Amino acid sequence: DHPDSPEFDSITVWLNSLQQADSAAMPQLWDCYFRRLVDLAEQKLRATPVRGSDGEDIAASVLESLWSGAQKGRFADVRNRDELWWLLLALTRRKVASHLRNEQAEKR
């Protein structure tokens, strides 16, 4: 899936539904973004010496954080697919960094 494909036209609608606590929107957002987030997380993880990391776990955590945050009104200023993508990028980067910190702390 690519952001210019027709199914991405619905992202703003799904995002609005998610912010209204409509859980039916989450599977569509998951389908659109999960693989891209996995790829991003794995790319970030490959650039580090830490092994045993799972991009799928990180991507799932990012999307769970999106759901949880939306339920709490944290992302009310995210209004379209571009803003959503930037939010997902930031969440992914933070979760990768947190994962790496935890892995390094366990080694000590």
Side-chain angles (χ1 to χ4, degrees):
D1 293 333
H2 187 273
D4 294 328
S5 61
E7 64 268 17
F8 275 75
D9 290 339
S10 299
I11 288 176
T12 302
V13 172
W14 297 334
L15 183 58
N16 290 335
S17 295
L18 187 67
Q19 292 170 337
Q20 301 295 322
D22 180 1
S23 63
M26 200 61 216
Q28 286 85 6
L29 289 167
W30 188 286
D31 288 344
C32 284
Y33 287 107
F34 182 73
R35 179 57 31 206
R36 293 174 70 198
L37 294 172
V38 169
D39 292 344
L40 176 66
E42 289 178 349
Q43 176 186 5
K44 298 286 183 194
L45 293 168
R46 274 193 303 268
T48 68
V50 177
R51 295 292 170 232
S53 304
D54 188 1
E56 289 188 359
D57 288 343
I58 290 171
S61 179
V62 167
L63 290 167
E64 289 167 5
S65 292
L66 175 67
W67 168 250
S68 174
Q71 299 308 297
K72 296 173 184 171
R74 289 189 182 141
F75 308 127
D77 57 338
V78 178
R79 295 186 184 100
N80 60 50
R81 66 181 180 185
D82 292 330
E83 292 174 359
L84 176 60
W85 179 240
W86 284 108
L87 171 64
L88 294 172
L89 284 173
L91 290 171
T92 302
R93 288 180 181 131
R94 287 181 193 154
K95 290 198 180 275
V96 167
S98 177
H99 178 78
L100 293 174
R101 274 192 307 275
N102 290 339
E103 289 283 320
Q104 291 170 347
E106 287 178 14
K107 286 185 177 183
R108 291 184 204 148

